[in-house]
Amino acid sequence: MSPDSTSPDGPHPGPPGSGPAGSEPSGSGPAGPGPSSPGPSGSGPAGSGDQGGEGGPGPGTPGSGAGGSGTGAGNPLGHGPVLLLSGARLADGRVVDVRISGDRIQAVGTAGSLGPLPQSALPAGAACGGEPAVAAGARIDLTGYLLLPAPAEPHAHHDTAFTGTATGGTEPRPPLAGPPAEDQDTAAPQDEGRGMVRRITEAALTSLGYGATAQRTHVRIGDAHGLRRLEAVLTARGALRGLAELQVVAVPRLLTGLAGAEGRAQLREALRLGADVVGGCPELDPDPAGYVQTVVAAATDFDCPVDLHLRGRDPDQLARLTALLAPLRPRVAVGPCDLLTAGSAAGLRAAGLRVVCLPQNGACCATDGPPGGLSPSVTAELTFHQVPLAAGSGALRDAVNPVGRADPLEAAYLLAASGALSVGAAYEAISGQARQLMGLPAVRVDAGFPAELLAVRGDSLAGALSGGHSRLVVHSGRVVSRTSAVREFADTVALALPRQSGHH
């Protein structure tokens, strides 16, 4: 990296395993188990351009308090109970300093206006082992970054992630008739127990690295799987505590008649074991209305939300099912609604339901035809009727979507690029609306709100959606992931071009 391309505050420590500069992207994933040591600047060919700043945003100059006394114990980047994000641009164009204390935003002020937090204002228990707390905490220079409320992932399938064909999708898709793709146990026998937990954890960390500090994953139960996948997801959820919040949706196959007896029993057992949400695919049951009635009864008994797979092809059936779900409002979500027809929005609004769409490929199973996808006109109708609309990623490189991604900004980009939503509304679909659907508190970059934040390289929301690769993720007041995207060019261009771009 050329000297004039280093970021303003000098070399930054990178998380363990971040790798050398020059990869695209590099340094992604959660920070390591302890404070990192600053290293030399990465080197590359002359004329290199750093998309994200050398090593990405990092703690400031020595003496800022990063990794000071013992208050950073257990914190990957070593900052104490106070974190100062300086020089960040907000979506409205303001450049601000944001001071975080504990898991909340303590203050937001104009750039350069915020300093160390007074000792008397530190959270209770900030000092550790008799050592005085470091009032300054860590300072991270976010010059060139847009600071946003962190996105959430409202519809994932972590239990089937990375199970697609090794050929990268060149094999034909699974047949459209028969059980859902996630029912087909394509995993090798050894992909059980610890192997499955590892794969689920990798999927959740991939999503976290893109910015999703809260995630909801649907998990198949029953049939040949029993509760094995659910137990693996619950184990991964425990391992991820402190890095990301993971909600688990139990998804039984059949619930009605004699064939559904086992599914009914396993659904209740799944809720007793710790599943957070009742899910399912009522359109695949011989009695969709009976399926929904069983779901409503279980959700009422266990006082939990409902999140159902509905495609919405049949308007009359959709009306019957939404009427049965209406008593549980507003704790009901349906999606991906990829076959929703014009005129359905009013009924969804009347029932008080929330809709989650999957802009990447429209659906997460291929049982009755190829994925559809909400058309811009139907999306506009949902917006007109004020139906809460969230957007998720769905499948991540499984048999249904072998090239799926876990990037919430990709979902927002697709909604905005298609003209279905404005740029602001598209980001709201993956942040505010997604959090509401998941029953999480609202987040704003303002004092008193939860410190769930995403800093992404860019000078505007549109720029971040179209090319924001370098990212810093804050969950519960601490930096949990950092990605630095570095782009390098050979020094063969005769024109005098800037060595560093501030838009990536």
Side-chain angles (χ1 to χ4, degrees):
M1 190 65 58
S2 54
D4 58 340
S5 68
T6 56
S7 57
D9 52 349
H12 302 296
S18 59
S23 59
E24 171 67 21
S26 66
S28 63
S36 303
S37 301
S41 301
S43 59
S48 62
D50 178 8
Q51 281 191 292
E54 177 62 39
T61 57
S64 66
S69 68
T71 58
N75 191 310
L77 296 189
H79 67 69
V82 179
L83 176 64
L84 181 64
L85 307 177
S86 65
R89 185 177 295 276
L90 302 184
D92 61 11
R94 289 180 294 149
V95 179
V96 299
D97 289 349
V98 176
R99 188 165 59 201
I100 296 170
S101 179
D103 61 357
R104 295 270 164 176
I105 298 173
Q106 194 267 338
V108 177
T110 55
S113 67
L114 296 183
L117 189 67
Q119 190 81 21
S120 60
L122 287 173
C128 178
E131 293 288 333
V134 179
R139 174 186 175 275
I140 297 180
D141 188 349
L142 291 182
T143 302
Y145 282 74
L146 194 69
L147 188 63
L148 302 164
E153 174 51 72
H155 192 115
H157 286 264
H158 291 337
D159 61 318
T160 60
F162 311 119
T163 60
T165 60
T167 56
T170 59
E171 297 291 334
R173 287 190 172 215
L176 299 181
E182 61 260 34
D183 259 1
Q184 300 168 10
D185 201 356
T186 58
Q190 63 269 24
D191 187 22
E192 296 180 0
R194 291 169 57 185
M196 187 180 293
V197 172
R198 186 165 53 249
R199 180 164 49 78
I200 293 166
T201 303
E202 181 182 356
L205 292 178
T206 300
S207 185
L208 174 65
Y210 284 119
T213 62
Q215 304 165 28
R216 175 177 283 187
T217 181
H218 293 250
V219 184
R220 286 305 311 267
I221 63 171
D223 298 329
H225 306 303
L227 298 176
R228 187 175 72 247
R229 289 184 174 181
L230 175 77
E231 291 166 349
V233 174
L234 294 176
T235 300
R237 181 176 68 180
L240 290 163
R241 188 166 289 114
L243 289 173
E245 180 172 347
L246 190 62
Q247 295 183 356
V248 182
V249 186
V251 182
R253 164 75 169 165
L254 297 175
L255 286 181
T256 65
L258 291 176
E262 182 181 3
R264 294 191 295 272
Q266 292 199 336
L267 173 60
R268 290 182 171 267
E269 181 62 20
L271 295 171
R272 280 190 285 267
L273 286 174
D276 305 288
V277 185
V278 180
C281 308
E283 292 166 325
L284 301 182
D285 192 282
D287 180 7
Y291 190 108
V292 171
Q293 289 172 332
T294 303
V295 163
V296 169
T300 301
D301 291 346
F302 285 87
D303 189 25
C304 60
V306 170
D307 193 337
L308 294 178
H309 284 73
L310 284 177
R311 304 191 71 182
R313 181 197 299 273
D314 183 345
D316 294 333
Q317 182 185 81
L318 180 65
R320 290 192 295 271
L321 300 185
T322 55
L324 293 171
L325 293 166
L328 297 182
R329 74 180 87 184
R331 304 175 72 193
V332 182
V334 295
C337 295
D338 59 309
L339 301 179
L340 205 64
T341 58
S344 301
L348 293 170
R349 172 63 178 176
L353 306 190
R354 300 181 181 275
V355 172
V356 56
C357 64
L358 304 176
Q360 283 189 33
N361 77 332
C364 49
C365 60
T367 56
D368 54 355
L374 280 177
S375 67
S377 61
V378 174
T379 303
E381 181 184 332
L382 292 171
T383 303
F384 176 79
H385 286 280
Q386 299 182 325
V387 177
L389 178 65
S393 299
L396 174 59
R397 292 172 52 192
D398 65 8
V400 171
N401 192 11
V403 294
R405 296 182 64 189
D407 186 357
L409 267 62
E410 173 84 2
Y413 160 78
L414 291 170
L415 287 173
S418 68
L421 296 176
S422 68
V423 171
Y427 191 82
E428 177 67 10
I430 64 166
S431 57
Q433 290 295 339
R435 290 184 64 86
Q436 285 187 35
L437 181 145
M438 297 170 67
L440 301 172
V443 173
R444 292 208 317 257
V445 187
D446 206 350
F449 283 86
E452 303 287 327
L453 302 170
L454 169 65
V456 57
R457 193 78 171 177
D459 57 2
S460 66
L461 189 53
L465 294 187
S466 65
H469 303 295
S470 296
R471 305 182 192 187
L472 180 141
V473 185
V474 176
H475 170 56
S476 293
R478 61 185 271 223
V479 177
V480 292
S481 177
R482 184 170 58 201
T483 299
S484 177
V486 178
R487 178 176 293 154
E488 299 180 341
F489 301 94
D491 192 17
T492 57
V493 181
L495 297 177
L497 299 175
R499 291 182 180 272
Q500 177 172 331
S501 168
H503 302 290
H504 303 283

